[in-house]
Amino acid sequence: MRTLGILGGMSHESTLEYYRRLNRDVAARMGGLHSAPLLIHSFDFAGIAALLEAERWDALGETLGQAALNLARAGAQGMVIATNTMHLVADEVARVSGLPVLHIAKATGAAARRAGCSRVGLLGTRFTMETGVYADVLKADFGLSTLIPDEPDRAFVHEAIFGELVRGVFADSTRARFREIMARLAEAGAEGVILGCTEIPLLIGPDDAAMPLFDTTALHCDMAVDWMLS
């Protein structure tokens, strides 16, 4: 198996899910006592969040790139960034580390195409929803168009992520509002919804909408296991 590097801690809630899924899926495929060969850099999220809020993409690229380079020196052969938003600096991480970065939007776009979607809704941080980190990849690589919620709903989703989900808080009232937002995306023409923050699948599941929901954490882990075993 290839050794996978993980840039995690953004937040630790979803990084725990990455670790669990990667090891579980390798064990299921390989059998016996097999588990995933992983090297993890787990950030102090407070510092990352401060740079993110200030939109210091240069500093974020340098910070994540240096951590990835350290993992490469330790033996990692490929990299996953265990968060959607930080794929905004994926190219810089790949450049600095010299390693392939397995892109979460490509894993998700492939799944949306397999499901027969041509237009998908997108939930995530405001950076994920309002930049091309997803929309550009989905359009260029998969011919998918992307819908995002209106501004009040985007603000709610963003605040829920940073105020609750990354802190391990999963409130029923927040889940209910997410359901309403997804219903509005469906009314606007979405054929499925991308849960484009790695904490959202900890709150929302398949029973929360009448259309396909794309769990980016699970899809990213599937891509990573395929890569490790290839």
Side-chain angles (χ1 to χ4, degrees):
M1 283 185 282
R2 291 167 166 171
T3 298
L4 180 70
I6 301 176
L7 297 180
M10 303 174 286
S11 70
H12 70 274
E13 293 289 343
S14 59
T15 303
L16 286 167
E17 186 67 6
Y18 269 82
Y19 186 79
R20 185 185 70 83
R21 282 183 174 273
L22 290 168
N23 280 288
R24 183 199 65 191
D25 293 352
V26 165
R29 294 202 207 180
M30 297 288 288
L33 297 177
H34 285 289
S35 57
L38 306 172
L39 294 170
I40 304 174
H41 181 107
S42 188
F43 287 96
D44 174 1
F45 190 45
I48 297 295
L51 292 174
L52 186 58
E53 192 61 29
E55 300 189 35
R56 289 285 311 280
W57 305 114
D58 54 343
L60 286 165
E62 180 180 350
T63 300
L64 268 68
Q66 185 59 53
L69 177 59
N70 290 340
L71 293 182
R73 288 170 174 164
Q77 296 165 282
M79 192 68 50
V80 294
I81 305 171
T83 167
N84 284 271
T85 297
M86 287 299 104
H87 281 74
L88 282 160
V89 297
D91 289 346
E92 182 68 4
V93 170
R95 185 191 69 80
V96 174
S97 68
L99 296 179
V101 174
L102 309 181
H103 202 293
I104 197 167
K106 293 188 176 183
T108 305
R113 289 303 297 174
R114 289 195 300 271
C117 296
S118 60
R119 180 181 295 178
V120 290
L122 174 63
L123 301 179
T125 68
R126 66 180 177 86
F127 310 107
T128 297
M129 292 186 286
E130 296 174 3
T131 69
V133 64
Y134 256 94
D136 291 351
V137 172
L138 296 181
K139 186 66 174 178
D141 289 9
F142 304 100
L144 297 170
S145 59
T146 306
L147 298 175
I148 60 174
D150 62 18
E151 197 284 328
D153 283 347
R154 293 200 304 274
F156 176 83
V157 171
H158 181 85
E159 290 304 319
I161 290 167
F162 282 95
E164 298 180 21
L165 306 189
V166 302
R167 303 169 190 263
V169 177
F170 307 103
D172 289 341
S173 58
T174 302
R175 183 177 297 106
R177 177 70 181 273
F178 269 70
R179 288 171 175 165
E180 294 170 1
I181 292 169
M182 291 189 293
R184 284 192 279 276
L185 288 171
E187 291 170 1
E191 300 159 331
V193 174
I194 293 170
L195 306 181
C197 168
T198 51
E199 285 80 25
I200 293 177
L202 301 174
L203 175 75
I204 296 297
D207 294 336
D208 291 305
M211 57 185 165
L213 300 181
F214 300 101
D215 179 340
T216 55
T217 302
L219 294 167
H220 204 197
C221 288
D222 287 345
M223 171 187 270
V225 172
D226 286 344
W227 177 85
M228 282 191 285
L229 299 182
S230 65

